[in-house]
Amino acid sequence: MKLQRMNRRALALGALAVSGALALTACGSDETGNPGGGSSNAAAPSNIKCDDASGQVLADGSSAQKNAVDAWVKQFSAACQVEINYKAGGSGAGVTAFTQGQVPWAGSDSALKPDEVAASKKICSGGQGIDLPMVGGPIAVGYNVPGVDKLALDSATIAKIFDSKITKWNDPAIAKLNPDAKLPNLKIQAFHRSDESGTTDNFTKYLIATAKKDFPYEGGKAWQAKGGQSAPQSSGVAAQVKQTAGAIGYFELSYAKDGIKTVAIDTGAAEPVEATVDNATKAISEAKVVGTGKDLALELNYATKADGAYPMVLVTYEIVCDKGNKAETLPAVKAFLRYAASEDGQKILAENDYAPMPEEIITKVRTTVESLS
């Protein structure tokens, strides 16, 4: 009788997986704006190990990875009887929700700071919060300049634009980098994030590392430079760039949709480097693990000049307790993170304009996920 029940359950889950996959295939596009729901349907839900996962999981954090999480959730929920609700309220909101015990895992584009680790020990019984690098990708600098289809900028020029030191598109500094472009006498409308954001943190880290003289700020999740306009989350900045002539803003490549053009970065390499998944992965491969114990925080090389390496990258961490996770959500969180770190889960990233983690890093992530307790 027990075997019959197991067989019936297996058949039911199989049917659910097939119906979910068929439903996804039938869709012309998903809510992330990827035609046909991206190519994420390539991952077979039947390959996902659900274990005892069930129920509902609430999470919050990085809006940078929202499109990636959406793609993962479609596959995971089709295979496992788990509802994942990811509120992409920004990295700052996610870390706060995690350290206050409101969510069992969070996404952040910046590794936990010492005071945040200390706070996590209050909700991770016998353990602490750790950083698991799961999603990578280029921070694209999108622009809307009528008549300009290609644009190259170096870090000093980008810094001056976002600090209101360069205010017109035909500025000599921009013209020097783009001798073949017909740059208009148009006011620059620079958009930054209004909420605390790991995207802002990584964007400013790049400017500080490569153009400190022109960007004399400490950096961090909150915007510090002068002037400009703000919009909430990456989707908000991208929307403003799309609809505003003369606009420029920063957001993940997955938000550079519907005709938004992106800047190629003049790093000093043989050619300006485009914001692509492959170019971001090449830059991330130079990262070093600087976390201790099970923490896998990375140190990125923003100043790389390697040919084809796009330096303005970020890595989104999934933040979770190494020990002391809540018993009611641990099976679902562990199963979801296992899938996200799997070969299929990482493959989905590249199909949705994100950069998979280099093999030597994701292998460590997989081992750590299995040890969560």
Side-chain angles (χ1 to χ4, degrees):
M1 182 64 69
K2 182 178 180 181
L3 181 60
Q4 290 176 340
R5 286 199 299 270
M6 290 175 64
N7 287 337
R8 286 198 297 271
R9 183 173 182 273
L11 287 170
L13 287 173
L16 177 61
V18 171
S19 64
L22 289 174
L24 288 170
T25 304
C27 294
S29 63
D30 66 13
E31 67 267 29
T32 67
N34 296 320
S39 301
S40 58
N41 300 326
S46 59
N47 292 337
I48 298 173
K49 186 179 179 183
C50 301
D51 288 341
D52 298 322
S54 62
Q56 184 183 66
V57 174
L58 302 178
D60 197 359
S62 164
S63 65
Q65 70 166 358
K66 182 181 185 302
N67 293 339
V69 173
D70 286 346
W72 283 335
V73 167
K74 282 184 176 182
Q75 300 300 321
F76 182 75
S77 296
C80 305
Q81 295 180 335
V82 178
E83 181 182 350
I84 304 287
N85 291 324
Y86 183 71
K87 179 185 176 183
S91 297
V95 171
T96 297
F98 175 75
T99 56
Q100 291 181 352
Q102 298 170 4
V103 296
W105 68 272
S108 176
D109 307 323
S110 303
L112 291 170
K113 292 180 172 62
D115 62 322
E116 293 167 341
V117 173
S120 73
K121 292 180 180 180
K122 298 177 182 179
I123 57 102
C124 300
S125 180
Q128 66 177 54
I130 57 173
D131 303 288
L132 301 179
M134 200 79 80
V135 181
I139 300 174
V141 178
Y143 69 96
N144 180 349
V145 183
V148 180
D149 294 327
K150 291 186 178 181
L151 188 70
L153 298 174
D154 58 18
S155 59
T157 306
I158 294 171
K160 291 174 184 177
I161 287 172
F162 280 90
D163 198 26
S164 301
K165 294 170 185 172
I166 292 178
T167 59
K168 290 290 186 71
W169 278 109
N170 62 349
D171 187 276
I174 301 176
K176 184 178 179 180
L177 292 165
N178 300 274
D180 298 327
K182 294 182 179 179
L183 299 167
N185 182 23
L186 179 66
K187 182 181 178 181
I188 294 175
Q189 307 275 1
F191 285 90
H192 57 263
R193 289 280 290 271
S194 59
D195 52 325
E196 288 201 356
S197 160
T199 310
T200 295
D201 191 13
N202 284 274
F203 178 66
T204 55
K205 278 179 179 176
Y206 165 73
L207 295 178
I208 291 167
T210 58
K212 178 65 175 176
K213 177 179 138 181
D214 298 301
F215 201 80
Y217 302 98
E218 294 180 0
K221 293 177 183 177
W223 185 254
Q224 298 170 349
K226 300 174 183 177
Q229 301 179 61
S230 65
Q233 305 181 358
S234 292
S235 58
V237 174
Q240 290 297 325
V241 170
K242 181 181 177 182
Q243 69 188 25
T244 307
I248 187 169
Y250 59 90
F251 36 79
E252 295 67 42
L253 182 62
S254 63
Y255 290 92
K257 302 292 185 184
D258 302 325
I260 295 179
K261 300 177 181 67
T262 60
V263 170
I265 306 298
D266 187 339
T267 64
E271 298 289 341
V273 186
E274 299 284 349
T276 69
V277 167
D278 289 343
N279 292 347
T281 297
K282 185 169 184 178
I284 294 171
S285 68
E286 297 184 26
K288 298 178 181 178
V289 176
V290 293
T292 58
K294 293 183 179 181
D295 186 83
L296 298 175
L298 302 176
E299 181 179 85
L300 298 169
N301 180 15
Y302 295 104
T304 180
K305 294 183 179 180
D307 288 343
Y310 186 83
M312 199 185 298
V313 295
L314 62 73
V315 169
T316 297
Y317 300 96
E318 310 312 332
I319 295 172
V320 66
C321 297
D322 58 353
K323 297 178 183 178
N325 288 280
K326 294 180 180 178
E328 60 268 28
T329 54
L330 176 59
V333 169
K334 193 168 180 177
F336 181 73
L337 295 180
R338 178 190 294 121
Y339 168 61
S342 71
E343 185 176 344
D344 284 345
Q346 290 291 296
K347 182 180 178 182
I348 280 179
L349 296 181
E351 295 166 353
N352 289 274
D353 294 324
Y354 292 95
M357 289 294 99
E359 190 62 29
E360 61 271 19
I361 293 175
I362 201 64
T363 297
K364 294 177 181 178
V365 172
R366 291 166 183 157
T367 300
T368 303
V369 168
E370 293 305 324
S371 71
L372 299 178
S373 62

